[in-house]
Structure formats: C-alpha cells, structure tokens
Amino acid sequence: MKKLLLLGDEAVAQGGIDSGISGFYGYPGTPSTEIIEYVQRSPQAKERNIHREWSVNEKTAMEAALGMSYAGKRAIVTMKHVGLNVAADAFVNSAITGVNGGLIVAVADDPSMHSSQNEQDSRYYGKFAFTPMLEPSNQQEAYDMVHYGFDLSEKYKLPLLLRLTTRIAHSRGGVEVKDEARPENEVRLPDDPVQFVLLPNIAKRNYEQHLLAEQPALIEESEKSPFNKYIDGPDKSMGIVASGIAVNYLMENCPEGCNYPVVKIGQYPLPYNMLKKLFDEVDTVLVLEEGYPFIEEQLRGFFNTSPKPIKGRLDGTIPRTGELNPNIVAKAIGKEIEIVYSPNSIVKARPPQFCDGCGHIFFYKALNDVMEKYGKGRVFADIGCYTLAALSPFNAINSCVDMGASVTMAKGAADAGLLPSVAVIGDSTFTHSGITGLLDAVRENTNMTLFILDNSAVGMTGGQKSAATGRVEDIVKGLGVDPDHIRIVNPIPKEHQTMVKVFSEEIAYPGLSVVIPRRECVQTYIRRIKMQKKAKAAK
Amino acid sequence: MKTDIILTGVGGQGILSVAAIIAATALRKGMYVKQSEVHGMSQRGGDVQSNLRISDKPIASDLIPMGKADIVLGLEPIEALRYAHYLKKDGWLIANSTPYKNIPDYPPIEDVLAEIKKFPNHIILDADTEAKKLGSSLVANVILVGAVSPYLGLEYNDLEEGIREIFGRKGESVVELNLKALKKGLELSQEFVKIK
Ligand SMILES: Cc1ncc(C[n+]2csc(CCOP(=O)(O)OP(=O)(O)O)c2C)c(N)n1
Ligand code: SF4
C-alpha cells in the first residue's frame, strides 16, 4: 500500500487504473475534468494503453464505453451533471441492455452552481434508470468504490452510477492505493447474442426479467454494503441519515462521535431495513444530503403513515438550494458555530474575465459595432469562455442555455421573424452539439449568421484538445453551407475593420452564413511555447 | 496539532503553489492533509480560494467551518478580506498589500488596508515589491509563505525542505531564490508583529 494525496477525481482515475480498466471515455466539464486529465498523465495508463482520449460529447462517450463493455472489458465514462442530460438516452437504455464488462458512469454534480447552469442531482437519473449507485464521502471511498463498483456491475450485469459532488471531486485527501493493478478483462462476447438488441420484445424481457427482477437483490446489496452503516448513538430524540460529503460535515461537528444514531449512506438503492430500524428507534429523522432532497423524499414515501417528522431541505431545516457546509450541518444538529466577524462590505465582486489578448475580446468588439444598428436582443450564444461577454463591458449576448442551443435558438428566432438572427458558438461546443443544429439550418437555408469561434481548444475547462481543430471549415462545407458564405477572419485588433466588413456582409445576406474567427487560445498557446522551449532545452 | 488555512487570491496569482508548499511540508511530517480547491470558471482574473487543513489527526470535513479558520492568507488585499469572516476570534489575517486592480470599482487601497488593520491579529506586507528586490516577481507567493510560517504549526526548517521538494526539479538556483524569499517573508512578518 502506498499513500497518495489525490483529488476525489484523481482517486476515481487511479481506482479505475488499479481495478483492471481498459478505457476511460468522457467530455470535459467542471468538476469532472480531472478524472481523464489524470489518466492522460499517468505512466501506467500509457504503458497499458488504456483508452483515455476525449470524446466529442457525453453521448458518444457513453456509447463508446458501452461498446467496450459489450466487448467484455471494463470502462468508465466521465462527465459533469448536465453532461448526463446529453448522454441520458444512452445511459437509460444501457440499463435495459445491461452490460458485459463492468461499466461505471462517473458523474460530478455541482451544487451551488460554482461553474454550471444548474444544480441538478444525478441520483435521480440513477433511480430513473434503476441502476445501482455509489456516492463517496471522501477520497479514499472514491478510490475504493471503483473496484467495488466494477465487481457489482459485473455481478449484476448492470451499469453503475458513481456520483461525485464538487467538494469531493475538487478536494485532495490521503488515499491508500493498491500496489498492483488487477488484470484487465479479455475480449469476450456477451453470453446472450441478443442482449444488446433492444427490439420491443427483447427490451421488455430485459426490463422485466433482468433490470426489475434484480431490484430486490440490489436493495439487499445495499443493506450489507461496506458503504452503508448503522452507527448507534445514545440519544434517540433524533436520528440522522447522511450521505456523501454530508457525512464529513457531520463528523466535523461530532469529533468524539455523534450522540444520535446515524445511518451513513454511500450505496443506492436505499437500504430500506436499515432506515426502518432507525426510523422506529428515534423521534425525528434529519436528512443530510448534498443536492436535492432525494433521500428525504423517499423516506417520506417509505414512512408516509407515520406522524414522526422528517427534517431536511423540504421543511426548511436545511436551505432548499445550494451546497451544504459544516456550518449548515452544525446548525441542523443544534451545535451552531460561533461566528465572530461578518463579511466586509468593502469587498467587491471580482468576476472571471477574458485573458489578455484572447481572440474572443476582439471578435465581440467587432460584433458589437456591427449589431449596434440592429438593436439589442439578437445574439444567441452558447457555453464556453465566450459566454463571459454577457457581462460588462461587452453585454453582447442574449442567451446561454445548453451546449449547442445557440445554433438552434437562432434558427427558431429567425423562423419567427426576428431578423437578423445571430448565433455564437465555440469550436468545441460546435462539434459537441452544434453540427446537427446547423444541418437543420442548411436544409432550410435559414436567414441567420453563425459565428464559430475557433480557438483550437476547449478553453473554458482548461484547454483540452478540441475535436474541431483543423476541420471546422470542412465540417461546415460538408454539411452543405454555401462556400461563398463561409468566411474566416483573424480576431486581432488590427483586423477590426475587416471583421466589421465581413460580419456586416454576412449578416445582411438573407440566407445561412458561417463566419469563423480563428485564433489560438492564449492559455494553450503559452503552454505550447513553454513545452517547446523545454523540449529544446532537453535536446 | 491542527491548522486551518484559507488561501485567497486572484486567478493566476498562484494560490495553489502556496498550498502545495505547505501541504508537501505537512505530508513529510506524516501529518494528515485536506485541500479543497476551486477549478474551472475561476481561472481568469476572478477571485479564487483554497481551503487547506493540516492536522496530526484524521480530518473530517474538506471545508473549513466559518468562524474556525486559524489563518486567512491573502495574496491580494481585497481577497484577504473576502474570506476574513471565516477567522476564529484570535485567528491571523495575513495579506499582501499590493492590489490587483482588474475591476472598475476597486476601493481606495488605504480603506482596504484600514479594514485589514481592524483585525486584532494581522500582518500586512508588500510581497510584490520585496519579490522584485530579490530579483523575481514570481517569488511573492513564497514570501507570503515565509510570513505565515510562524503560525502554521510547522517547523521552519521543515518548510525549507518542502521548498526543496517542490522546486528541486527546477535547479539549485531556483531553490536558493525561494529559500531566500521564505526567509525574507519570515523577517518581515516578525518585524511587523514587533512594531505593531
Ligand atoms: C453538456 C455539457 N458538457 C460540458 C460542459 C462544460 N463546458 C462548458 S463550456 C465547455 C467547452 C467550451 O469550449 P469551446 O466551445 O471551444 O469554447 P472556449 O471555452 O474555448 O471559448 C465545456 C466543456 C457543459 N456546460 N455542458
Ligand atoms: S482560456 Fe483561452 S479562450 Fe478562455 S478567455 Fe483565456 S484565452 Fe480566451
């Protein structure tokens, strides 16, 4: 055993490497990105040639991982919570097909929306799809759960959802790791040749005779799981159910152990008997969970005939939204922490900004100049660094909804007669989910202008390689956009006038145009130059 | 022994390298470490912070409870104040005095420093200027590690070892420069406390 200081994300990655995985798939997204980044740096992964290249989006990643599982090998697919919306079709149906090699879907939720559009709780997806789920409360569990999760997935031939949250994913803690990795699986076809063929009669069979039929056994696994525990306490006036990182906040406030009985939850479906035992013994139950009131709602269902109060996010004991912290938990268990100082009003907000010299800045300056004569409210943007233009001084964009929505919202608005209609999307977001929408616009030659900001990187999430690099015009041409209306510009100050001219022409053109401002992300550029210098010095 | 430190600054100032030096030192001494970081959106000129906890016993929470931090170390004065209310009553507020002005409504720096001085235990030093005097603006961070060093519950020479571990790959001259910066920070901090 060696001990490493790992982020929760890195613990998942190392856990995968050590438990005989053959492939990681995923699309970057905070706070999940560091899982695959760790694997990409890992000498072990390189030596074993574990698959670790980014996918174009979460759906392609999920399906590729399912393909690896079909072939008998173990795979992990990683994404942020909203990525699971994109992968949902594949995910939900993978529970119906079931798996062959072990399959773990590692999803990182972002309660409090530190860097996300919402704080959706992925555990609902697991319940929706009837898959088993694991939720670590610390970095060690994040590591251990991968091995355990693969075993469970292979035992029940079902995909497993591993739910992380920001404070586990992005916090470092000591992790004891195994000295030796378990061997990978050999390629081996599924025993049942039609297992993965979801024609209605087969799907119905899989659903009823496999997925639903295994549910009682999955609950039984939860009852005896090493990650679910009944911890007795002398004071029965209250019982506590705590899951994931909430367990840590509870322990922080009870360093000598908790006075109340506690059920710690790390594995789902919920262990009914363990919870029933707690419920019967105490006067009230407090639920501490990061995210939505997922356990709380189920407890209300389980024990709906009892008058005993169940406290948590639904009754206001815990704030309805946002992430937990040690102070919220302290208050909920009646141990409020004394706070001496208050926040200082001299402190001003410091929002993130474009890096100096970023091409997005000069693109928006030109776009704003051109759009001035048309008035506000016509620029549909997307998700990435370029979304920062929603803030002052640019105030340049009017929407940011989900990856790819710029293209299709601009189309819908143009269809409605809001002209001109302009879409702004990054190169990686374009390949993630913009291509299909552009094909819709091509078919109708919609009167809109799409700007694809090509900085040859996934800038927002740390400059990963973009699948679009070197092929944006080819993709656009291949979809059928008129080559006369595909224009490329260089977003730098000295090209301002050229940009204004090109943008004006294409926005005035009453059909579909695509303009590609192209300039490498400053951050990846700096990194590249540093690496080149290093390589030279090494020679 | 347990020390809870909140490190704050502006994205790009390098709070993570400060955290790395302190964490590496604590780990060398066989202590437990938890360090929660902010990644993602905050990488460009936005406010960033990291919760660093070191202890000789296992640590439960990844986040430091508000009202219980032993130290808030700000690489920038407003950023020091942003999390100063996490301090316990006799906690230390240690701040670099050089403002990072990338917002239009940055308050007058005298007012900001006056607010810092209201904390019973505070240290203010101009790490940027001192770093330039040492020959590299890159070592401002390490000067601040030196300034905080008497309050970490770690031995000074262990911190020196930590620096050797972190900068060793970059060559002896880089190590020496950073050791000098560490020393400078310690001196400035001791001086500040003496004359206050
Ligand atoms: C479905 C989904 N997956 C991932 C993310 C995380 N994410 C936000 S922006 C972004 C990439 C942006 O890259 P690009 O479009 O090239 O723009 P840039 O940041 O480089 O300007 C990612 C991966 C997300 N918000 N939603
Ligand atoms: S990371 Fe790259 S794309 Fe994002 S603001 Fe900085 S330079 Fe621009």
Side-chain angles (χ1 to χ4, degrees):
Chain A
M1 289 269 182
K2 0 178 236 264
K3 198 164 176 186
L4 304 176
L5 187 67
L6 297 178
L7 291 175
D9 276 350
E10 296 173 342
V12 171
Q14 189 65 49
I17 293 169
D18 292 346
S19 46
I21 200 169
S22 302
F24 287 83
Y25 292 86
Y27 182 73
T30 313
S32 70
T33 312
E34 291 78 5
I35 301 175
I36 288 191
E37 286 188 332
Y38 180 91
V39 182
Q40 290 178 342
R41 286 195 309 269
S42 157
Q44 277 166 292
K46 187 169 177 195
E47 192 187 317
R48 271 169 43 199
N49 199 21
I50 294 174
H51 182 276
R52 56 198 183 282
E53 185 54 88
W54 291 109
S55 302
V56 164
N57 67 34
E58 293 85 354
K59 179 175 184 284
T60 66
M62 176 74 218
E63 291 157 349
L66 187 62
M68 185 166 267
S69 160
Y70 173 94
K73 298 204 169 199
R74 300 185 190 101
I76 290 185
V77 50
T78 78
M79 62 196 71
K80 70 182 291 165
H81 58 346
V82 288
L84 191 50
N85 298 334
V86 177
D89 199 5
F91 171 68
V92 173
N93 285 309
S94 74
I96 310 283
T97 60
V99 306
N100 187 20
L103 177 59
I104 294 180
V105 185
V107 185
D109 290 356
D110 188 19
S112 279
M113 311 181 209
H114 295 282
S115 40
S116 305
Q117 316 99 289
N118 72 31
E119 58 172 14
Q120 66 185 59
D121 186 327
S122 300
R123 293 176 299 173
Y124 286 84
Y125 267 113
K127 186 161 188 299
F128 185 52
F130 299 103
T131 67
M133 278 190 282
L134 294 168
E135 184 184 16
S137 68
N138 58 40
Q139 292 75 12
Q140 184 70 54
E141 281 191 354
Y143 175 84
D144 296 337
M145 279 178 173
V146 175
H147 196 112
Y148 177 89
F150 274 133
D151 287 351
L152 200 68
S153 169
E154 291 184 350
K155 178 170 174 191
Y156 289 95
K157 298 264 170 228
L158 287 173
L160 178 139
L161 194 147
L162 176 67
R163 185 220 187 197
L164 306 164
T165 52
T166 302
R167 300 298 178 176
I168 289 275
H170 279 179
S171 174
R172 282 173 209 282
V175 179
E176 284 190 0
V177 301
K178 298 197 178 75
D179 293 323
E180 251 179 77
R182 151 165 84 179
E184 293 179 32
N185 288 347
E186 296 297 324
V187 169
R188 183 173 166 271
L189 288 179
D191 294 333
D192 170 6
V194 297
Q195 179 192 337
F196 286 81
V197 186
L198 294 187
L199 284 168
N201 59 336
I202 302 168
K204 199 158 174 265
R205 179 204 69 182
N206 287 1
Y207 177 53
E208 289 170 0
Q209 294 170 29
H210 177 225
L211 184 58
L212 292 187
E214 292 291 21
Q215 293 302 310
L218 291 177
I219 295 171
E220 201 41 49
E221 290 283 351
S222 288
E223 301 279 4
K224 55 177 215 258
S225 164
F227 302 111
N228 292 339
K229 258 190 218 107
Y230 187 102
I231 308 157
D232 209 1
D235 185 348
K236 312 281 187 203
S237 64
M238 184 164 81
I240 299 175
V241 180
S243 74
I245 194 140
V247 175
N248 289 354
Y249 299 152
L250 179 64
M251 292 312 155
E252 177 74 20
N253 286 297
C254 314
E256 314 299 332
C258 191
N259 250 340
Y260 306 109
V262 175
V263 169
K264 170 191 178 291
I265 297 289
Q267 180 172 339
Y268 305 80
L270 288 173
Y272 175 82
N273 288 329
M274 200 184 280
L275 292 163
K276 175 88 167 66
K277 174 169 178 274
L278 180 81
F279 195 80
D280 287 345
E281 278 185 6
V282 299
D283 302 335
T284 65
V285 174
L286 170 69
V287 185
L288 302 172
E289 54 189 324
E290 188 79 306
Y292 291 177
F294 177 75
I295 298 176
E296 193 180 345
E297 281 179 348
Q298 291 185 68
L299 291 190
R300 286 184 176 217
F302 288 164
F303 310 120
N304 68 344
T305 52
S306 162
K308 279 186 198 177
I310 294 173
K311 300 193 287 185
R313 295 206 189 249
L314 292 173
D315 78 331
T317 303
I318 306 280
R320 184 65 180 79
T321 66
E323 62 181 356
L324 296 174
N325 61 42
N327 297 77
I328 291 174
V329 170
K331 193 168 167 211
I333 60 170
K335 288 186 156 192
E336 198 156 354
I337 297 167
E338 190 202 352
I339 294 169
V340 192
Y341 304 105
S342 36
N344 198 312
S345 61
I346 200 168
V347 175
K348 298 289 180 288
R350 198 190 297 264
Q353 298 176 354
F354 289 121
C355 304
D356 284 342
C358 174
H360 296 345
I361 299 174
F362 309 110
F363 158 72
Y364 278 117
K365 283 190 172 159
L367 183 68
N368 273 353
D369 278 6
V370 173
M371 290 309 288
E372 207 180 315
K373 65 171 176 285
Y374 298 112
K376 293 249 164 251
R378 292 171 158 74
V379 181
F380 300 90
D382 228 297
I383 309 188
C385 285
Y386 50 95
T387 317
L388 291 173
L391 309 175
S392 235
F394 297 96
N395 305 310
I397 63 171
N398 308 106
S399 74
C400 155
V401 182
D402 65 270
M403 304 268 290
S406 58
V407 183
T408 27
M409 282 182 73
K411 178 176 188 303
D415 293 345
L418 183 74
L419 295 171
S421 186
V422 170
V424 177
I425 195 169
D427 57 325
S428 180
T429 306
F430 175 64
T431 45
H432 179 289
S433 285
I435 296 176
T436 43
L438 183 57
L439 189 55
D440 277 343
V442 166
R443 285 181 58 193
E444 298 179 42
N445 193 24
T446 304
N447 182 3
M448 61 180 272
T449 304
L450 168 64
F451 291 91
I452 305 175
L453 311 188
D454 182 6
N455 58 6
S456 309
V458 194
M460 181 84 200
T461 44
Q464 294 77 14
K465 269 192 261 167
S466 160
T469 304
R471 45 177 82 95
V472 178
E473 314 70 303
D474 288 348
I475 295 172
V476 172
K477 263 186 226 151
L479 287 174
V481 177
D482 178 353
D484 290 342
H485 294 282
I486 302 174
R487 313 279 296 266
I488 296 167
V489 296
N490 184 4
I492 54 172
K494 119 173 153 350
E495 294 291 312
H496 182 80
Q497 283 317 324
T498 316
M499 278 193 282
V500 168
K501 182 167 172 286
V502 171
F503 296 3
S504 303
E505 285 167 10
E506 294 309 330
I507 288 172
Y509 166 65
L512 176 65
S513 354
V514 173
V515 182
I516 307 167
R518 173 170 297 140
R519 185 161 188 77
E520 184 177 356
C521 162
V522 176
Q523 296 301 334
T524 58
Y525 172 79
I526 294 173
R527 221 179 306 155
R528 199 160 53 80
I529 296 299
K530 261 194 198 158
M531 299 270 267
Q532 278 173 2
K533 271 192 191 155
K534 238 194 208 164
K536 237 191 208 159
K539 261 189 210 157
Chain B
M1 201 296 287
K2 169 167 134 319
T3 310
D4 287 341
I5 312 146
I6 295 182
L7 303 163
T8 69
V10 181
Q13 277 192 314
I15 59 167
L16 295 186
S17 58
V18 173
I21 295 169
I22 300 172
T25 307
L27 282 177
R28 290 177 74 88
K29 302 308 287 178
M31 297 170 77
Y32 293 89
V33 173
K34 278 223 172 184
Q35 185 210 338
S36 148
E37 309 174 351
V38 275
H39 300 235
M41 287 258 296
S42 328
Q43 59 202 190
R44 292 162 299 271
D47 60 289
V48 292
Q49 57 92 6
S50 170
N51 281 215
L52 177 60
R53 316 190 76 187
I54 58 179
S55 172
D56 52 17
K57 292 198 196 63
I59 302 162
S61 167
D62 299 77
L63 291 181
I64 299 168
M66 191 190 290
K68 288 215 171 164
D70 299 295
I71 300 167
V72 171
L73 176 62
L75 274 56
E76 202 278 348
I78 279 205
E79 296 312 323
L81 282 174
R82 194 182 300 279
Y83 289 93
H85 58 287
Y86 274 72
L87 284 170
K88 62 182 189 189
K89 195 165 179 204
D90 56 351
W92 282 88
L93 180 59
I94 299 177
N96 183 9
S97 64
T98 310
Y100 190 113
K101 292 191 182 171
N102 64 348
I103 44 173
D105 52 352
Y106 200 101
I109 184 66
E110 313 76 61
D111 298 358
V112 177
L113 297 179
E115 288 300 320
I116 294 175
K117 287 177 187 155
K118 286 184 187 162
F119 284 79
N121 289 329
H122 70 269
I123 292 171
I124 301 173
L125 66 162
D126 186 349
D128 285 53
T129 305
E130 295 296 336
K132 277 187 207 118
K133 280 196 217 157
L134 287 177
S136 166
S137 55
L138 292 177
V139 297
N141 284 347
V142 179
I143 293 180
L144 288 160
V145 178
V148 78
S149 63
Y151 312 103
L152 291 174
L154 296 169
E155 297 292 333
Y156 183 80
N157 47 3
D158 290 329
L159 275 169
E160 290 184 321
E161 290 306 312
I163 294 227
R164 285 210 171 85
E165 180 180 324
I166 298 276
F167 295 103
R169 301 180 282 127
K170 299 193 172 165
E172 194 48 30
S173 63
V174 176
V175 171
E176 283 309 315
L177 179 65
N178 280 285
L179 289 176
K180 251 197 242 164
L182 187 74
K183 184 96 205 189
K184 188 77 207 170
L186 174 63
E187 284 165 11
L188 290 168
S189 141
Q190 285 170 333
E191 220 169 286
F192 188 95
V193 174
K194 217 184 292 164
I195 55 176
K196 190 168 72 177

